[in-house]
Amino acid sequence: MMGGAGDHGMAMHGFHGRYLRVDLTRGVMEEVPLAPEVLTRYLGGTGLGCWLLLAETRGAYDPLAPEAPLVLASAPLVGTGLNTSAKAAVLCLSPLTGRLNDAMISSHIALALRGLRADALVLVGAAPEWCVLRVEPEGASLHPAAEWRGLSAEATESALRARFGDDHEVAAIGPAGENGVPFATLTHAGRHAGRGGTGTVLGSKRLKALAVRGRPEVRPAHPARFEAIRRRLQARSMGAATEKYRTTGTIGNLLVFNRLEVLPTRNFQATSHALAADLSAETLLATRAVHRSTCADCKIGCDRRVELEGGGQVRLEYESLFALGPLLDLHDPAVVLEASRRCDALGLDTISTGGTLAFAMECAERGLARFGDLRFGNGPAVLDAVERIARREGEGALLALGTRALAARIGQGSEAFAAHVKGLEMPGYHPRGLQSLGIGLAVGSRGADHNRSGAYELDLTGAVDRFRVDTERIPLLIERENQGAVMDSLILCRFIRRAVRDLYAEAAEMLTALTGHPFTAEEIARTAEGIQRLKKRFNQRQGWSEAEDTLPARFFRGPDGAADGPEGGGRAGIDRERFRQARAEYYRLRGWDAEGRLPPEPGASAAMPPAARSQPAQRSVPLGWGR
Amino acid sequence: MQEHCASQEHRAAIVVTGIGDAWVQDVSALRLGAEPLVARVIVALAPLVGAILLVPLAGRRAPRLAPPLGRRVTLVRAEADLDRAGRALAEAAAHLPPEATTIVALTGDMPLLTPACIDPLCRALEREPGDGVVWAARGEAGSALLVAMRRAALVKAAPRLRQGESPERVFEAQRCASASLGVAGNGHPTDALLAVRNPAGLRRTLVTLGLSDPAKPAVTLEVYGQLRLTTGCAAFPLHAETVGAALAALRRIDPEAARGLGEDGAWIEHFRCAINGQQIIVDPDHPLRTGDRLVLFSAAVGG
Ligand code: SF4
């Protein structure tokens, strides 16, 4: 049985003071101590995960090399029953972008990971054959996975629970992850650590799935205080602050975005779709049986599962609807729901799949390339292409490259309308009408991720003029990004954000009541900055340069300065000069140099933050082999 | 954990359409959006009933419904022409789904109807022990009829309805209670909804409810998400000088649905308005001009 430094040696409640490293090549699980300073400084989730990625590697590396780590980082609030706290961060070097990829995986798997009595689980190496990794508080074992290969994540999850027992929680990949598609998802209970290829990295280790058994036992240092905080958050999060998520879920965005002309349509060539109403929450909820579902420890329940005409259900969220609907000029719910179902079953990220298909369609429309019958509005061709991408078959092998690499192959100026940042396909927010978000996506460490930035809130809540960029809004933009990093490290779901009034003060209050360590709002604010520095350091080590902190040409004004660039979009594009000024201001306020690089820190090398070296493993036990 | 969001299968509605010549003639004057009025009625019913039977009267074309409205709606076509509302109701009775026990019947268009009106009516019936008919408070003679009854009551009434007796008279004889419609929560007469027989009546009602003042700019308030689902309306024509006044008017139209807006300026915490879909306004005193369209949406946008 593995011990637990938290159970013997860690004075603070809420942390375990160790992480587990499973080395699949060497066939061992090791217990590695984590210093209290690291935990209080980076908390957990994304913060701790970034620190571990840096600590576990020594320089630039290949995302699919055996030594590439996949980090599953728990966090202090996980398992406390606090509303929306059942999440774990999944971090790796993205095979799609070559940059940091920090995703979230939600619900019971997060609770089970917390139940391992470790602050994180780090996977390195590669198994000798396709396996399932089973991790329990007593140890870990590998199980040959031949019989589950080719199954969807959902089917794998059911099969493994039948094999190992319902007390196991499973995160699995589908065929796309097995086939090395660089935007493959890692899935648990129908929810995905979706973007950037976390599933691809698991697959590169020849792991079909991870089965975890563990029950979290979190005892706050000050139980009564913590309970009062829990109740307060619970009460606030059931009011108007979360009503949209509770009533329509995120699919409620579609019709509003269409009306505000920020709904990306036909590969971002337009900002609204004439038939968007057919796919709207207002229509789907009135015409189909829609079930509401929640993550564990969540009373909001943003999750919507729509019944399909031929039986079964599909989980729907706004990003899937936009990416497989208007972005491809599709509006028939039957086609879009089926495309989404196939992506889920095959383990493909819906945004990257839709984004790449939309790009290919525009290339076909312009006569730059052909991909069979793939054209805007051709639903059957989309359904077929989704299957081929997952199998990397025929044109699917090209489409499986993702937008950036595909544009590099096609060339002929197609890069101008290849909608990605750092290789990550753009989300369902048209930057021409959301120009703060345009900056946020451009400088984002993960690439075009709307949630890591959160700057759309500035545009859509009227805090700024959404049709222009300027330097004045940059402090607000940085603050949104920082607050997001804290939520991802505590962890709390982003959808509860409006129920939290003063994030740093309330986070300090929660952590103090939980851990007994006196956190302050100022420390939490510094933690936010520190996490951003870790992200930057990681990317810098992987070869980041200023040139990649930008948007595709499509979103800027035309080269002649005309209000609408040659690529259209229905709205004036972003002014390049103002964009450059805003980006420079972002670097300045972050304390980076004029090229956006971190200045040297005392005690830190270019690659490592101070003290970012994991300590020697305390214990090591061999992985068992099971059947 | 899963919670079913679909409608209640034990309830069904019968909507007799084609009564309102007056509306057809002057529908543009209503400025109620592009939908036929019956579509608004169906949207109001949809969240609360499992099935809607639509019965067009003789000589009327079935209204063309946008696809979203179509799924729960069954169009009842009779062998013989149905020239009276009572006959149409009796005909529809034979097409009710077997699981439907609570029947809501409407004869005519009620453009101000919302789900908040239907629910109290159904609940009032479901509290009544026998086979009586519960009436919504009634407007002037000739107004549309809105009643709820158990299936057995409709079966009992059917022979008289088939004979051509007016449903008012038949159901009056079976009346067991009257229900107060939800919209009355704002203190206005419950009859206001049913008293609307033509565009002039609608205009009068809007003035009565404080929703219309021709001296002020005529604007349209578009609602999305939960507000659209609960009010059953995509857009409300209003007269208002400012954003705040327009939202106050929405609260008067449907206090229950608009509860999330809070009192007075409280909406700003959780909602946003975009004038004509462009810049997003947070100032409740922002002035409006005739023709403006206010897009009201949740501030928890995105995610
Ligand atoms: S709000 Fe949605 S994503 Fe967030 S925890 Fe709840 S169900 Fe999960």
Side-chain angles (χ1 to χ4, degrees):
Chain A
M1 173 176 170
M2 296 296 281
D7 308 314
H8 31 85
M10 186 80 192
M12 260 183 292
H13 292 243
F15 295 111
H16 294 284
R18 65 169 191 155
Y19 67 97
L20 301 175
R21 182 200 291 130
V22 174
D23 188 327
L24 297 155
T25 302
R26 289 168 47 226
V28 294
M29 180 156 85
E30 299 165 324
E31 180 184 312
V32 188
L34 274 168
E37 309 81 78
V38 171
L39 293 167
T40 53
R41 187 161 174 197
Y42 297 115
L43 306 178
T46 295
L48 177 63
C50 279
W51 186 90
L52 283 168
L53 269 188
L54 282 162
E56 282 281 330
T57 51
R58 292 290 171 265
Y61 63 95
D62 175 346
L64 302 181
E67 65 271 20
L70 183 70
V71 176
L72 294 107
S74 189
L77 297 184
V78 181
T80 60
L82 219 58
N83 201 1
T84 76
S85 61
K87 291 178 184 286
V90 187
L91 295 99
C92 61
L93 174 60
S94 164
L96 183 66
T97 69
R99 298 291 173 259
L100 176 71
N101 190 41
D102 51 325
M104 288 287 158
I105 194 158
S106 302
S107 206
H108 294 283
I109 185 81
L111 298 178
L113 283 162
R114 182 78 157 135
L116 294 176
R117 300 206 298 271
D119 295 304
L121 175 67
V122 177
L123 310 181
V124 294
E129 59 179 288
W130 278 95
C131 286
V132 168
L133 175 66
R134 182 181 184 184
V135 190
E136 301 167 274
E138 300 81 19
S141 52
L142 285 168
H143 301 254
E147 64 189 289
W148 302 303
R149 288 211 55 204
L151 291 185
S152 69
E154 195 184 0
T156 307
E157 189 172 341
S158 304
L160 290 176
R161 282 165 65 93
R163 174 70 59 89
F164 298 145
D166 277 347
D167 53 353
H168 284 68
E169 301 298 341
V170 175
I173 61 174
E178 293 177 43
N179 295 332
V181 177
F183 42 91
T185 55
L186 178 62
T187 302
H188 164 71
R191 295 180 177 83
H192 316 284
R195 310 221 60 201
T198 49
T200 322
V201 175
L202 195 81
S204 74
K205 303 191 172 308
R206 290 193 207 93
L207 289 184
K208 173 68 179 170
L210 182 65
V212 183
R213 180 173 64 76
R215 280 181 46 170
E217 286 171 25
V218 184
R219 285 187 299 277
H222 304 289
R225 269 164 70 187
F226 194 81
E227 177 59 16
I229 292 167
R230 194 190 64 75
R231 282 171 192 263
R232 186 183 65 198
L233 184 66
Q234 173 71 22
R236 278 199 219 144
S237 57
M238 296 316 286
T242 60
E243 186 180 81
K244 185 198 81 175
Y245 298 113
R246 285 183 285 117
T247 54
T248 62
T250 60
I251 58 175
N253 289 341
L254 190 115
L255 209 51
V256 174
F257 282 19
N258 194 52
R259 187 64 176 88
L260 299 179
E261 294 178 49
V262 294
L263 177 69
T265 299
R266 291 176 62 92
N267 194 35
F268 291 82
Q269 293 182 78
T271 51
S272 63
H273 193 287
L275 299 173
D278 292 0
L279 287 174
S280 66
E282 290 83 346
T283 298
L284 294 174
L285 290 169
T287 58
R288 287 172 182 261
V290 179
H291 304 271
R292 179 174 163 214
S293 155
T294 79
C295 296
D297 287 348
C298 173
K299 299 285 185 297
I300 295 175
C302 71
D303 202 331
R304 291 295 176 279
R305 315 254 164 151
V306 184
E307 280 187 16
L308 296 167
E309 272 142 25
Q313 298 180 356
V314 61
R315 178 173 177 270
L316 257 202
E317 53 183 316
Y318 166 66
E319 293 297 335
S320 304
L321 267 187
F322 116 85
L324 300 168
L327 194 67
L328 307 179
D329 202 3
L330 294 175
H331 62 91
D332 178 351
V335 173
V336 176
L337 297 181
E338 175 58 18
S340 189
R341 187 198 67 76
R342 287 190 192 193
C343 284
D344 285 355
L346 295 162
L348 289 168
D349 174 33
T350 49
I351 304 179
S352 285
T353 304
T356 307
L357 289 173
F359 171 71
M361 286 170 172
E362 189 168 346
C363 286
E365 190 174 69
R366 289 167 178 258
L368 305 180
R370 276 183 63 89
F371 302 90
D373 293 334
L374 205 54
R375 294 284 186 286
F376 286 116
N378 187 343
V382 166
L383 297 179
D384 183 53
V386 167
E387 299 276 349
R388 286 166 177 269
I389 289 173
R391 292 198 297 269
R392 304 185 82 145
E393 178 187 285
E395 300 91 21
L398 271 180
L399 296 167
L401 295 170
T403 302
R404 181 175 64 182
L406 187 57
R409 290 273 183 104
I410 293 171
Q412 306 171 74
S414 64
E415 295 86 350
F417 57 87
H420 70 89
V421 174
K422 300 182 178 73
L424 192 67
E425 283 72 14
M426 308 267 296
Y429 298 71
H430 204 299
R432 285 190 172 217
L434 300 168
Q435 298 200 4
S436 309
L437 181 67
I439 290 279
L441 296 178
V443 299
S445 57
R446 195 186 188 192
D449 183 312
H450 56 293
N451 279 327
R452 299 296 165 270
S453 164
Y456 60 80
E457 276 211 300
L458 303 180
D459 295 312
L460 289 172
T461 55
V464 296
D465 178 348
R466 67 189 177 104
F467 299 118
R468 67 200 296 258
V469 282
D470 52 38
T471 51
E472 286 77 40
R473 72 189 61 190
I474 299 303
L476 298 174
L477 186 146
I478 287 178
E479 190 49 28
R480 291 245 51 83
E481 206 176 38
N482 284 358
Q483 292 197 7
V486 168
M487 294 194 85
D488 292 346
S489 303
L490 287 169
I491 298 172
L492 287 175
C493 178
R494 295 293 184 98
F495 296 169
I496 208 170
R497 65 192 183 277
R498 297 184 64 82
V500 179
R501 294 186 184 145
D502 180 343
L503 178 65
Y504 299 152
E506 290 184 38
E509 194 187 358
M510 288 173 198
L511 290 170
T512 303
L514 175 67
T515 65
H517 174 86
F519 285 90
T520 66
E522 293 70 30
E523 278 169 354
I524 301 293
R526 280 197 295 278
T527 288
E529 290 284 352
I531 294 168
Q532 299 300 344
R533 272 197 300 279
L534 291 184
K535 291 181 175 186
K536 183 71 177 182
R537 190 179 302 280
F538 182 86
N539 279 348
Q540 224 167 268
R541 207 176 67 172
Q542 286 299 135
W544 170 90
S545 76
E546 184 190 7
E548 62 194 67
D549 277 3
T550 190
L551 296 171
R554 159 148 296 164
F555 301 111
F556 292 104
R557 292 188 181 198
D560 55 356
D564 285 312
E567 311 300 340
R571 284 230 169 260
I574 298 171
D575 182 290
R576 278 184 192 273
E577 188 47 38
R578 284 174 165 276
F579 175 87
R580 268 193 286 270
Q581 289 166 1
R583 187 178 60 185
E585 179 69 355
Y586 178 87
Y587 292 161
R588 189 183 73 77
L589 292 177
R590 280 273 179 226
W592 302 342
D593 70 16
E595 278 78 48
R597 303 186 72 82
L598 280 174
E601 259 179 273
S605 72
M608 302 293 290
R613 281 271 184 267
S614 56
Q615 299 172 43
Q618 276 188 344
R619 279 163 201 262
S620 174
V621 293
L623 296 179
W625 273 94
R627 290 176 39 76
Chain B
M1 186 196 318
Q2 292 207 337
E3 181 184 310
H4 201 269
C5 299
S7 58
Q8 305 188 42
E9 304 301 322
H10 71 288
R11 292 175 179 171
I14 302 172
V15 181
V16 180
T17 74
I19 301 228
D21 279 340
W23 297 111
V24 174
Q25 286 159 11
D26 196 12
V27 82
S28 61
L30 294 172
R31 302 178 64 246
L32 289 172
E35 304 153 342
L37 294 180
V38 70
R40 294 169 52 87
V41 171
I42 287 170
V43 170
L45 286 164
L48 294 164
V49 303
I52 299 169
L53 304 184
L54 196 60
V55 204
L57 286 182
R60 319 286 185 201
R61 272 179 303 152
R64 287 223 321 259
L65 299 175
L69 301 174
R71 186 173 160 269
R72 285 196 198 130
V73 180
T74 306
L75 202 59
V76 176
R77 291 276 187 203
E79 294 289 313
D81 268 357
L82 299 170
D83 56 349
R84 298 198 178 201
R87 290 195 177 120
L89 287 171
E91 179 68 27
H95 294 79
L96 285 167
E99 64 275 16
T101 51
T102 296
I103 315 300
V104 178
L106 296 89
T107 63
D109 301 318
M110 300 180 189
L112 296 178
L113 200 66
T114 71
C117 307
I118 309 290
D119 202 37
L121 184 64
C122 292
R123 286 176 193 279
L125 176 79
E126 284 156 8
R127 279 194 301 271
E128 289 293 327
D131 283 340
V133 174
V134 175
W135 280 66
R138 190 175 164 194
E140 58 193 86
S143 295
L145 178 75
L146 174 59
V147 291
M149 66 198 105
R150 294 192 197 284
R151 190 187 188 107
L154 182 56
V155 171
K156 186 169 145 195
R160 289 177 64 187
L161 294 170
R162 259 194 215 100
Q163 293 296 320
E165 270 193 71
S166 83
E168 282 91 342
R169 192 197 304 209
V170 175
F171 293 142
E172 182 62 46
Q174 290 177 242
R175 178 197 290 255
C176 62
S178 290
S180 184
L181 301 185
V183 80
N186 60 8
H188 293 292
T190 52
D191 291 3
L193 288 181
L194 305 181
V196 176
R197 289 195 300 162
N198 51 41
L202 177 63
R203 277 187 217 103
R204 261 200 320 275
T205 303
L206 292 173
V207 171
T208 310
L209 294 174
L211 305 176
S212 180
D213 176 354
K216 293 179 181 161
V219 300
T220 305
L221 178 61
E222 296 177 20
V223 296
Y224 292 83
Q226 180 65 1
L227 268 173
R228 185 177 293 193
L229 290 165
T230 51
T231 60
C233 290
F236 294 87
L238 305 164
H239 286 89
E241 284 172 309
T242 62
V243 169
L247 298 186
L250 178 63
R251 283 205 302 274
R252 287 197 295 277
I253 296 172
D254 196 333
E256 182 59 26
R259 201 176 39 184
L261 292 173
E263 292 302 314
D264 299 324
W267 62 272
I268 289 173
E269 201 179 337
H270 299 300
F271 287 86
R272 290 294 179 270
C273 251
I275 308 284
N276 302 317
Q278 301 298 301
Q279 278 304 353
I280 290 157
I281 304 299
V282 289
D283 175 11
D285 295 327
H286 187 91
L288 298 175
R289 289 183 303 201
T290 288
D292 277 347
R293 295 187 74 87
L294 276 72
V295 177
L296 179 66
F297 58 95
S298 165
V301 72

